[in-house]
Amino acid sequence: MQLGLVGLGKMGGNMRERLRRAGHTVVGYDRNPDVADVHSLGELVDTLAEPRVVWVMVPAGAPTQATIDELGELLSPGDVVVDGGNSRWTDDIKHAEALAGKNIGFVDCGVSGGVWGRDNGYALMCGGDAADIAKVQPIFDALKPEGPAGFVHAGKVGAGHFAKMVHNGIEYALMQAYAEGWELLEAADVVTDVREVFRSWQEGTVIRSWLLDLAVRAMDDDEHLEGLRGYAEDSGEGRWTVEAAIDHAVPLPAITASLFARFASRQDDSPQMKMVAALRNQFGGHAVTAASTHKGADAPGADVTPPKEADAG
């Protein structure tokens, strides 16, 4: 089968290689000419035989919107566009409606597998009409892992990215749980080999997982993770998951807390903790630590004298 693939970064480039290994013809376009097979979207479309399938793997938001808008002008009735990026599911509905006016199909596909997907396969969560899904099915079959699992037609347009959004929210919470357990083990003097504790969990325990395997791999590279800064970005899907939970009145305390923990990781000097420290000092006379900009007696680590008549609390 022929496929046009737009976006040849870490994910897109590996997907192209996996598909070619499976015998499919992939014509790739990227703004980086060193990795592209063609020089423009127009050339990509002209290279493919009808009915065409073009898979988009570019950043969510404006880049995806611009790419789909341009493809809408280039493609023909009966062609299909697949958005395999991390788009918000509500955007899928707008894209599908715009393309439907030109009789061009649209499929949204949440893709999970990261840099390991080229060899292990990708988990694919798709939304759209059954007829459009069927046109892309040979590509899905080549990208998914071997065996019965790894692909789902999750529902109508938007369902694929909604499912991937929830997947990533769960991922946030799982990573946070492993991270909290790791920190506690590192803090306890009684445990002398945290890495091997994690390794012992890889077989026979109910918390074994690929994430656990990756945690052990990371500690094999840097046993106490001393070379890393305690800072974690969020891709946006964690936020969307929490927002969707609010819209549907579904409680997500673990996922929400894990998202907020990432926000906290970006604060070298938490403004909230300034107020907490000030209040503890005011009501209970608890010692506070001065800001690093102060000198002398107020240097970092120095205790500031509490109010003389502070109330205990």
Side-chain angles (χ1 to χ4, degrees):
M1 178 177 171
Q2 287 187 328
L3 178 74
L5 183 58
V6 183
L8 301 170
K10 292 179 181 178
M11 288 279 282
N14 282 342
M15 289 168 64
R16 175 175 63 174
E17 184 173 345
R18 183 174 176 86
L19 288 168
R20 285 177 173 174
R21 288 178 185 175
H24 295 288
T25 300
V26 182
V27 181
Y29 169 69
D30 192 276
R31 290 185 300 175
N32 178 1
D34 294 335
V35 299
D37 301 314
V38 292
H39 300 96
S40 67
L41 283 179
E43 185 179 352
L44 180 146
V45 169
D46 290 341
T47 301
L48 301 173
E50 296 185 33
R52 308 175 186 90
V53 175
V54 179
W55 189 303
V56 178
M57 287 295 289
V58 301
T64 294
Q65 183 70 59
T67 302
I68 292 177
D69 286 347
E70 186 173 353
L71 286 172
E73 298 300 319
L74 295 169
L75 294 174
S76 304
D79 294 344
V80 176
V81 174
V82 181
D83 180 6
N86 284 331
S87 294
R88 191 164 185 164
W89 69 277
T90 50
D91 290 342
D92 297 326
I93 298 171
K94 294 185 293 184
H95 295 153
E97 290 175 348
L99 292 174
K102 303 177 181 183
N103 292 316
I104 298 170
F106 179 83
V107 173
D108 62 287
C109 185
V111 181
S112 181
V115 297
W116 303 87
R118 182 189 64 187
D119 298 319
N120 297 342
Y122 301 89
L124 306 170
M125 297 145 269
C126 299
D129 291 339
D132 293 329
I133 296 285
K135 292 179 181 179
V136 194
Q137 195 64 55
I139 298 299
F140 295 144
D141 292 340
L143 287 173
K144 67 179 284 296
E146 293 183 8
F151 169 81
V152 61
H153 181 186
K156 56 189 179 181
V157 167
H161 280 143
F162 193 96
K164 177 58 166 34
M165 175 190 74
V166 174
H167 165 281
N168 280 23
I170 293 170
E171 179 185 290
Y172 274 46
L174 289 173
M175 287 192 288
Q176 185 65 24
Y178 283 126
E180 291 176 6
W182 171 80
E183 182 178 1
L184 180 57
L185 287 167
E186 286 279 343
D189 292 338
V190 69
V191 178
T192 58
D193 199 335
V194 175
R195 177 178 59 187
E196 293 310 310
V197 169
F198 263 61
R199 197 187 309 278
S200 75
W201 294 342
Q202 289 183 275
E203 298 293 340
T205 70
V206 297
I207 64 167
R208 63 188 185 275
S209 72
W210 188 29
L211 283 174
L212 179 63
D213 295 342
L214 294 176
V216 172
R217 180 186 175 95
M219 286 185 280
D220 282 340
D221 293 337
D222 180 359
E223 183 173 357
H224 301 288
L225 307 184
E226 294 169 326
L228 300 178
R229 178 188 169 199
Y231 178 100
E233 277 289 359
D234 66 285
S235 64
E237 291 188 285
R239 302 185 190 207
W240 300 342
T241 305
V242 172
E243 290 170 1
I246 294 170
D247 291 340
H248 292 80
V250 174
L252 297 185
I255 291 174
T256 302
S258 67
L259 174 64
F260 288 174
R262 295 198 184 190
F263 296 162
S265 78
R266 302 168 202 170
Q267 297 179 334
D268 293 328
D269 187 16
S270 169
Q272 294 177 24
M273 289 305 103
K274 291 175 188 261
M275 177 56 73
V276 170
L279 290 171
R280 293 181 75 247
N281 178 250
Q282 291 296 321
F283 73 67
H286 301 287
V288 297
T289 301
S292 58
T293 53
H294 293 182
K295 303 297 182 182
D298 292 344
D303 290 341
V304 177
T305 305
K308 292 182 179 179
E309 299 181 357
D311 292 333

